[in-house]
Amino acid sequence: MKKKLLLFTLIPLLLLGPVSCTQNEGSGKVFLHFGKVHESKPERVSEISYDEISSLVEGDFKQSFAFVLSNEGCTCWKSFEPILAEFNYRYNLDIKHIDYTEFEKEGRNKYGLHIVGVETPSVAFFSNGSLIRQAIYRGASKDIFTDTTGKEFEKFFFENAVLPKMYYVARSTLDSYISTNKDFNLYVARSECGDCNTVNSTILNDWNKNVESARNPLYIFDIQEYHPGRKPKKAEGESDEQYNAREDVIEYNRKNEIYQGVKDQYGLSTKNNPDLGFSTGAVPTFQHRIGNVIDDMAVILNDSLVSGTNNIVSSYFTADRVSKMKFLEGTGTKYVLDGIALKNDEIGRWGYPDNSAQVERHRPILNLFLDKYTK
């Protein structure tokens, strides 16, 4: 009994809930980072791999998330899976499962989890990469997993977690928001984009920890699947004609055309968004939209240094663009970054591997966007 109580009453976790006030992680709940808008009601719960969990726990961006330890050979999991699938659908969550045996393989870190097959299913909550609470299938806590109405699991969840403020959407869902003239916030990202991962782990992570709910969340459209990858290198002595005739180059150009079409379609580039678009388009991009109308926009962490200098900034935030950003009204030229000279302590911190100076310059800008459109 003592062991059960210890496992069940670990530090409360930090998720995002429906409360409409500002409250930081001191509330004792886990503030989940991301959810997912489902295109249709799922019958099953998606699986998460051990490597994915390791990345969420040990990666540069240590995430706040929940997952279930399952037992594919146990009827207890088969009974609980539809409860969890329904819960995911109702609250736009993506709580996945992994068979407990994956953690029993040699050399694998258990991350402090209680791994016993007969005490599954088990739900674990991680906050910024650390295990905060785990409820196991034992004693009174069995009700969380056996109540077919789902009320016990829902009660347990909201006692310990807060719903996300950022939700991944499929392209079809995004298109439906646009076609129905929905008023919403869009974050266009790429899962393998370094700038996106930086903004996630710094500015958005801090925002997530300090604001419990968002009236209008961020919907995330991940365009990684359209990215063409690295452009093939030209071989030594190869002519332009030979290079352009290569199959890998032709394939790259085909994919890049599709990728450019996606950026054009959703207003990242100047083609369909001359006022706030940025060249051929870049991520991370944040938009406030009313259907197909891009009402406001900001492109974060895509400033560079003017060629041949080590301290003059070439920025998305030009005087002309800033004057058209509604969320920056009344700030004058405070956030005009194009052409500014970096301070001595910022030089060397405006790109990789250290991008901290650019993050701190862009932090108040993105926070003003979030303050205006998500509260």
Side-chain angles (χ1 to χ4, degrees):
M1 178 62 70
K2 289 182 180 178
K3 183 177 182 182
K4 186 200 83 173
L5 290 175
L6 174 63
L7 289 168
F8 188 68
T9 59
L10 291 173
I11 307 169
L13 63 113
L14 317 164
L15 287 166
L16 306 177
V19 183
S20 60
C21 60
T22 298
Q23 181 175 325
N24 61 27
E25 286 187 338
S27 66
K29 294 184 178 182
V30 168
F31 282 41
L32 292 179
H33 276 114
F34 303 110
K36 173 185 176 181
V37 178
H38 298 267
E39 295 179 88
S40 60
K41 190 173 182 178
E43 296 182 0
R44 304 291 302 273
V45 175
S46 299
E47 291 187 57
I48 186 170
S49 70
Y50 174 84
D51 288 343
E52 288 176 291
I53 291 173
S54 294
S55 177
L56 298 178
V57 172
E58 300 180 30
D60 293 336
F61 177 26
K62 296 174 173 56
Q63 292 191 27
S64 298
F65 65 105
F67 68 90
V68 168
L69 285 167
S70 59
N71 184 342
E72 293 290 355
C74 177
T75 57
C76 302
W77 163 243
K78 293 178 181 177
S79 298
F80 178 61
E81 185 177 15
I83 297 172
L84 180 57
E86 166 66 27
F87 188 78
N88 277 336
Y89 180 69
R90 186 184 314 144
Y91 291 106
N92 292 327
L93 291 169
D94 194 24
I95 300 174
K96 299 179 180 180
H97 80 96
I98 181 172
D99 196 274
Y100 79 97
T101 57
E102 290 298 306
F103 284 91
E104 293 186 327
K105 294 179 179 179
E106 186 176 355
R108 290 193 167 179
N109 191 331
K110 291 183 171 59
Y111 301 117
L113 291 161
H114 179 74
I115 309 291
V116 177
V118 295
E119 294 176 335
T120 59
S122 167
V123 58
F125 297 92
F126 282 73
S127 175
N128 294 113
S130 297
L131 177 65
I132 298 299
R133 173 166 294 183
Q134 180 180 7
I136 65 174
Y137 188 84
R138 186 201 291 177
S141 64
K142 284 185 179 181
D143 293 344
I144 296 170
F145 308 99
T146 59
D147 174 24
T148 56
T149 69
K151 291 181 179 179
E152 287 298 320
F153 181 76
E154 180 171 317
K155 178 184 176 184
F156 168 75
F157 180 90
F158 286 114
E159 284 175 348
N160 295 283
V162 186
L163 290 171
K165 299 185 290 292
M166 297 180 280
Y167 298 90
Y168 284 96
V169 293
R171 188 173 184 176
S172 59
T173 302
L174 172 58
D175 288 345
S176 73
Y177 290 173
I178 292 172
S179 65
T180 56
N181 215 37
K182 181 180 176 69
D183 186 325
F184 67 104
N185 301 311
L186 179 65
Y187 167 23
V188 185
R190 277 199 305 110
S191 55
E192 296 180 18
C193 158
D195 290 330
C196 299
N197 291 327
T198 296
V199 81
N200 288 345
S201 63
T202 56
I203 306 171
L204 289 178
N205 184 48
D206 292 340
W207 170 69
N208 186 62
K209 290 190 296 185
N210 288 292
V211 179
E212 183 163 351
S213 69
R215 176 174 51 86
N216 294 315
L218 287 177
Y219 292 105
I220 306 173
F221 179 37
D222 184 356
I223 60 174
Q224 182 63 49
E225 66 177 287
Y226 306 104
H227 192 262
R230 290 185 180 274
K231 187 174 183 177
K233 291 184 178 181
K234 196 173 184 180
E236 186 177 352
E238 190 175 29
S239 68
D240 291 343
E241 184 178 1
Q242 290 171 324
Y243 175 76
N244 291 325
R246 279 168 39 185
E247 288 186 9
D248 60 337
V249 175
I250 292 172
E251 179 65 8
Y252 170 84
N253 289 335
R254 184 189 69 81
K255 290 181 178 178
N256 193 51
E257 186 175 349
I258 293 172
Y259 182 56
Q260 188 59 53
V262 170
K263 293 190 291 180
D264 292 341
Q265 178 180 347
Y266 296 102
L268 277 68
S269 70
T270 56
K271 182 175 181 178
N272 296 318
N273 185 10
D275 287 342
L276 295 174
F278 188 34
S279 185
T280 60
V283 291
T285 285
F286 294 83
Q287 299 175 344
H288 175 246
R289 302 182 68 116
I290 303 171
N292 200 44
V293 176
I294 299 172
D295 183 59
D296 220 343
M297 177 169 145
V299 179
I300 302 299
L301 301 188
N302 272 268
D303 294 355
S304 58
L305 297 181
V306 174
S307 179
T309 75
N310 67 351
N311 70 328
I312 305 300
V313 174
S314 174
S315 176
Y316 168 80
F317 295 97
T318 63
D320 181 60
R321 283 202 190 91
V322 167
S323 70
K324 296 170 182 174
M325 295 177 186
K326 297 178 181 179
F327 74 99
L328 292 181
E329 284 181 358
T331 62
T333 61
K334 181 177 181 180
Y335 298 115
V336 174
L337 302 181
D338 191 55
I340 66 167
L342 297 180
K343 299 175 182 177
N344 288 337
D345 66 347
E346 293 179 311
I347 297 173
R349 296 190 297 116
W350 202 270
Y352 295 99
D354 183 354
N355 201 22
S356 56
Q358 188 172 183
V359 168
E360 291 313 308
R361 288 275 193 166
H362 284 214
R363 181 186 295 276
I365 296 174
L366 183 53
N367 281 339
L368 285 170
F369 179 95
L370 297 170
D371 286 347
K372 183 172 180 66
Y373 294 118
T374 66
K375 287 187 175 180

